Short mmCIF file of all heavy atoms in Angstrom, two decimals:
data_model
loop_
_atom_site.label_atom_id
_atom_site.label_comp_id
_atom_site.label_asym_id
_atom_site.label_seq_id
_atom_site.Cartn_x
_atom_site.Cartn_y
_atom_site.Cartn_z
N PHE B 242 6.41 -32.89 -12.19
CA PHE B 242 6.73 -34.33 -12.35
C PHE B 242 5.74 -35.19 -11.49
O PHE B 242 5.26 -36.17 -12.05
CB PHE B 242 8.09 -34.54 -11.79
CG PHE B 242 8.42 -36.01 -11.62
CD1 PHE B 242 8.64 -36.82 -12.75
CD2 PHE B 242 8.45 -36.64 -10.32
CE1 PHE B 242 8.91 -38.25 -12.50
CE2 PHE B 242 8.69 -37.95 -10.21
CZ PHE B 242 8.94 -38.77 -11.26
N ILE B 243 5.47 -34.75 -10.35
CA ILE B 243 4.56 -35.59 -9.48
C ILE B 243 3.15 -35.56 -9.84
O ILE B 243 2.35 -36.53 -9.63
CB ILE B 243 4.76 -35.30 -7.96
CG1 ILE B 243 4.13 -36.43 -7.05
CG2 ILE B 243 4.23 -33.94 -7.54
CD1 ILE B 243 4.81 -37.75 -7.10
N SER B 244 2.71 -34.42 -10.43
CA SER B 244 1.23 -34.19 -10.71
C SER B 244 0.92 -34.15 -12.12
O SER B 244 -0.26 -34.39 -12.58
CB SER B 244 0.87 -32.86 -10.05
OG SER B 244 1.44 -31.81 -10.76
N GLY B 245 1.79 -33.82 -13.04
CA GLY B 245 1.45 -33.55 -14.38
C GLY B 245 1.19 -32.12 -14.69
O GLY B 245 1.35 -31.61 -15.87
N PHE B 246 0.85 -31.35 -13.65
CA PHE B 246 0.52 -29.92 -13.84
C PHE B 246 1.67 -29.01 -13.88
O PHE B 246 2.43 -28.97 -12.96
CB PHE B 246 -0.45 -29.44 -12.73
CG PHE B 246 -0.59 -27.96 -12.68
CD1 PHE B 246 -1.00 -27.26 -13.79
CD2 PHE B 246 -0.35 -27.18 -11.64
CE1 PHE B 246 -1.16 -25.87 -13.75
CE2 PHE B 246 -0.48 -25.80 -11.47
CZ PHE B 246 -0.85 -25.16 -12.65
N ASP B 247 1.91 -28.42 -15.10
CA ASP B 247 3.17 -27.66 -15.25
C ASP B 247 3.02 -26.14 -15.40
O ASP B 247 3.82 -25.41 -15.98
CB ASP B 247 3.93 -28.16 -16.46
CG ASP B 247 3.22 -28.01 -17.75
OD1 ASP B 247 2.19 -27.33 -17.78
OD2 ASP B 247 3.76 -28.45 -18.78
N GLY B 248 1.90 -25.56 -14.86
CA GLY B 248 1.75 -24.19 -14.86
C GLY B 248 2.81 -23.49 -13.97
O GLY B 248 3.49 -24.22 -13.30
N SER B 249 2.90 -22.16 -14.03
CA SER B 249 4.07 -21.60 -13.31
C SER B 249 3.82 -21.40 -11.84
O SER B 249 4.75 -21.17 -11.11
CB SER B 249 4.31 -20.10 -13.89
OG SER B 249 3.24 -19.27 -13.49
N ALA B 250 2.59 -21.63 -11.45
CA ALA B 250 2.37 -21.42 -9.90
C ALA B 250 1.46 -22.55 -9.44
O ALA B 250 0.53 -22.97 -10.10
CB ALA B 250 1.67 -20.14 -9.70
N GLY B 251 1.80 -23.23 -8.34
CA GLY B 251 0.99 -24.35 -7.82
C GLY B 251 1.81 -25.03 -6.71
O GLY B 251 3.04 -25.11 -6.69
N THR B 252 1.06 -25.54 -5.74
CA THR B 252 1.73 -26.26 -4.63
C THR B 252 0.96 -27.59 -4.53
O THR B 252 -0.23 -27.63 -4.40
CB THR B 252 1.65 -25.55 -3.34
OG1 THR B 252 2.37 -24.24 -3.48
CG2 THR B 252 2.30 -26.29 -2.16
N ALA B 253 1.77 -28.66 -4.46
CA ALA B 253 1.15 -29.96 -4.32
C ALA B 253 1.35 -30.45 -2.93
O ALA B 253 2.38 -30.22 -2.29
CB ALA B 253 1.74 -31.00 -5.22
N ILE B 254 0.27 -31.17 -2.33
CA ILE B 254 0.49 -31.77 -0.96
C ILE B 254 -0.06 -33.20 -1.12
O ILE B 254 -1.20 -33.36 -1.57
CB ILE B 254 -0.29 -31.00 0.08
CG1 ILE B 254 0.17 -29.58 0.18
CG2 ILE B 254 0.02 -31.69 1.43
CD1 ILE B 254 -0.42 -28.68 1.29
N VAL B 255 0.77 -34.15 -0.72
CA VAL B 255 0.37 -35.58 -0.82
C VAL B 255 0.31 -36.11 0.63
O VAL B 255 1.33 -35.92 1.35
CB VAL B 255 1.38 -36.36 -1.68
CG1 VAL B 255 1.11 -37.81 -1.67
CG2 VAL B 255 1.47 -35.73 -3.11
#
Side-chain angles (χ1 to χ4, degrees):
Chain B
F242 168 76
I243 191 69
S244 69
F246 167 54
D247 67 0
S249 75
T252 299
I254 303 184
V255 176

